[in-house]
Amino acid sequence: MMKFAADPVGAHRAFAARYGDPFTLRLPGMRMMVIGDANSIIQVLALPIDAFSVLDVGIEVMGVYSLVRLNGAAHSAARKQVAPLVMNPLRQNNGVIIQDIARRVYAKSSGRRVLMIEVAKQLTLHVILRSAIGFLPEQEEARFAVAYAALQSKASFMLHFLPILQVDLGPWSPWGRLKRARATVDHIISKSIDNATFRTEDDTHPFVDIARAAKESTDAALGVDGLRDQLFTLLSAGHASTAQALTWAVWHVYADSEILARLRDELASVRSDPDRIVRLDYLDAVCREVLRLRPIGPVIGRKLAKPLHLAGRMLPEGTVIGLSVPLAHSNLTTFPEPDIFRPERYLGDNKAAKSRSIPFGGGVRHCLGANLGLTEMKLALAILVEGYDVLLSEGTRPPKHKLIDAVAGPASGVPLVMTAR
Ligand code: HEM
């Protein structure tokens, strides 16, 4: 486990080389069969909703109604409820809003040494809030950001795995502080749901209708409490993941002057039109290659609810399967020289590269925010590339890719100085 946390890509490759593919990992409370073979992965990802359940580890924090904890029909209903908030990130003028947020956050960080991951986290939090809820008064958004940051800290993350420390001894005890931070976040989300009733006619953000329907629902899972947990889930699942991906993208682009120049050339052809930026081939290829080489969610978990015939063996119900993103993304046939950052893999007619890349998982539990995450990466990267020169403080030696809380990212957080061009 420690080896995996320190180097998820290297650990999976070393285990597969030593024990074969699949191999079995003994984790606290479970044995996981880890699979890297492309055909088996495709078969598992295509399983219907009643053939498996989620692995219920470390996700209590999301809330009892969170879609990441639900299975079967309840899961489908919860996904359907909030999908309109994230599935079409360029609806209305959301693309321009994302660009404005990026400009604002970069301007505040310009001219001094910053950690790119901190810049990216500010950016992604504001983007998810705007995309999912729409307007929040400025002060409310700032209060939200502070409480949310407390929930996301490393100490908080550890607490969820250490029940012995989960005792509320007042606002200064770790668990007490965490509970109060979650209560503040919940309060602001609940207030936004409440206030949706009073939003004006010309506010056509999909959140308005979703919040109104939740208030009228007699089913608790689809009512106000359920919607509050889904919004918290969107934030938790989409915030750090997109921030780590964007941080790696910035590192890769500024560590290679040819990639930077090619991107600038491509961007010059589309001005700042978000609809055209997200369709640019090379920018798309760069982002996909980042997500291939630096898997943010390195293992995709499934627990079989029925026996499954897979790769010549019969797996019994209850088998825990971990799909290895690092192994899938270093398959030598689809991705020759897998350790090299080469966006060209995703250009032209290379259908296999796209269909065998699984940074967002797949099937009925495919990442709900994949469109938003990828769109945000592209728009935020484009604003930086066009507007700023960046000096990577640690030079062009890549930082280690390691597990940071629940997702993986560059160990150093990528210290840098950005200067307006
Ligand atoms: C680059 C950024 C992101 C990466 C790499 C990523 C990756 C993933 C992965 C690997 C899964 C598991 C999928 C599976 O089990 O098959 C997942 C699930 C999920 N992601 Fe993302 N994600 C990103 C951004 C986002 C964003 C922006 C949001 C929302 C705002 C989001 C919301 C979710 C949700 C709700 C799930 C659970 C889906 C379900 O269980 O039905 N993600 N993500």
Side-chain angles (χ1 to χ4, degrees):
M1 189 61 196
M2 301 292 275
K3 205 170 167 192
F4 174 73
D7 176 11
V9 175
H12 272 197
R13 284 200 200 159
F15 293 150
R18 188 152 169 202
Y19 305 111
D21 175 1
F23 58 87
T24 302
L25 284 184
R26 270 187 203 89
L27 303 171
M30 72 167 105
R31 284 159 69 94
M32 176 184 274
M33 184 174 150
V34 180
I35 300 175
D37 165 62
N39 292 327
S40 303
I41 287 179
I42 290 171
Q43 189 186 339
V44 173
L45 286 178
L47 288 175
I49 191 77
D50 59 347
F52 68 93
S53 61
V54 284
L55 316 187
D56 202 5
V57 277
I59 51 177
E60 301 81 8
V61 65
M62 304 283 199
V64 285
Y65 297 115
S66 168
L67 69 90
V68 295
R69 303 182 68 179
L70 300 174
N71 293 301
H75 166 256
S76 312
R79 257 182 92 104
K80 204 166 149 205
Q81 180 187 33
V82 287
L85 302 176
V86 289
M87 292 293 271
N88 177 11
L90 289 180
R91 62 165 193 262
Q92 296 155 336
N93 64 341
N94 207 45
V96 175
I97 293 176
I98 295 176
Q99 289 174 312
D100 284 347
I101 292 172
R103 279 192 199 97
R104 196 158 35 88
V105 172
Y106 295 150
K108 270 198 335 205
S109 315
S110 172
R112 60 197 169 88
R113 192 174 190 266
V114 287
L115 281 184
M116 185 58 213
I117 186 61
E118 296 305 329
V119 176
K121 279 187 176 173
Q122 281 179 43
L123 205 158
T124 56
L125 183 63
H126 291 302
V127 169
I128 299 179
L129 281 176
R130 291 288 154 147
S131 303
I133 297 180
F135 177 73
L136 256 189
E138 210 172 302
Q139 266 187 332
E140 203 88 319
E141 197 166 316
R143 250 183 83 213
F144 189 98
V146 172
Y148 187 72
L151 279 177
Q152 297 300 302
S153 73
K154 203 174 199 71
S156 308
F157 182 75
M158 292 310 291
L159 270 176
H160 288 285
F161 292 92
L162 297 170
I164 198 167
L165 294 180
Q166 294 172 359
V167 191
D168 185 355
L169 298 173
W172 303 111
S173 65
W175 189 246
R177 208 166 35 234
L178 193 75
K179 274 182 69 182
R180 281 159 188 80
R182 173 76 211 243
T184 307
V185 167
D186 278 354
H187 177 72
I188 298 173
I189 296 180
S190 302
K191 217 162 104 188
S192 315
I193 299 175
D194 242 20
N195 289 347
T197 320
F198 310 112
R199 279 160 68 162
T200 56
E201 292 276 296
D202 49 335
D203 187 345
T204 52
H205 194 287
F207 177 70
V208 176
D209 282 345
I210 291 173
R212 285 180 186 161
K215 285 177 81 175
E216 281 164 22
S217 174
T218 48
D219 177 348
L222 296 174
V224 172
D225 289 349
L227 180 56
R228 188 203 52 221
D229 283 355
Q230 304 320 343
L231 292 170
F232 185 77
T233 299
L234 292 182
L235 277 161
S236 305
H239 171 240
S241 54
T242 313
Q244 297 292 0
L246 177 60
T247 302
W248 263 125
V250 169
W251 187 86
H252 276 288
V253 168
Y254 283 94
D256 187 324
S257 56
E258 275 180 36
I259 294 178
L260 178 63
R262 192 165 168 188
L263 267 184
R264 282 185 172 150
D265 267 3
E266 194 187 45
L267 283 164
S269 65
V270 292
R271 314 258 164 152
S272 54
D273 178 355
D275 293 84
R276 293 179 68 196
I277 292 175
V278 298
R279 280 187 273 120
L280 289 174
D281 289 339
Y282 190 64
L283 177 62
D284 181 71
V286 166
C287 292
R288 286 180 194 278
E289 180 67 345
V290 167
L291 294 170
R292 181 196 69 81
L293 186 60
R294 313 294 184 188
I296 306 296
V299 178
I300 296 163
R302 302 284 189 257
K303 183 174 180 181
L304 295 182
K306 294 175 178 177
L308 176 72
H309 194 258
L310 187 77
R313 40 175 115 183
M314 188 51 105
L315 305 178
E317 176 190 335
T319 305
V320 173
I321 293 179
L323 304 178
S324 167
V325 183
L327 292 181
H329 287 183
S330 49
N331 179 297
L332 293 173
T333 316
T334 318
F335 305 109
E337 297 185 284
D339 293 331
I340 297 180
F341 185 82
R342 187 182 291 149
E344 288 73 12
R345 301 176 199 277
Y346 290 98
L347 292 177
D349 202 20
N350 190 355
K351 290 200 181 87
K354 278 193 187 167
S355 66
R356 306 229 151 175
S357 299
I358 51 165
F360 298 107
V364 287
R365 295 203 88 107
H366 181 251
C367 171
L368 191 58
N371 273 349
L372 177 61
L374 202 52
T375 299
E376 186 181 347
M377 271 178 88
K378 290 179 185 178
L379 295 180
L381 187 60
I383 296 282
L384 190 71
V385 162
E386 287 209 292
Y388 290 86
D389 289 322
V390 165
L391 187 67
L392 297 169
S393 308
E394 294 173 334
T396 51
R397 240 183 94 120
K400 283 199 162 137
H401 185 61
K402 68 168 229 186
L403 218 58
I404 302 163
D405 304 339
V407 290
S412 66
V414 182
L416 51 76
V417 180
M418 50 178 84
T419 324
R421 296 170 76 206

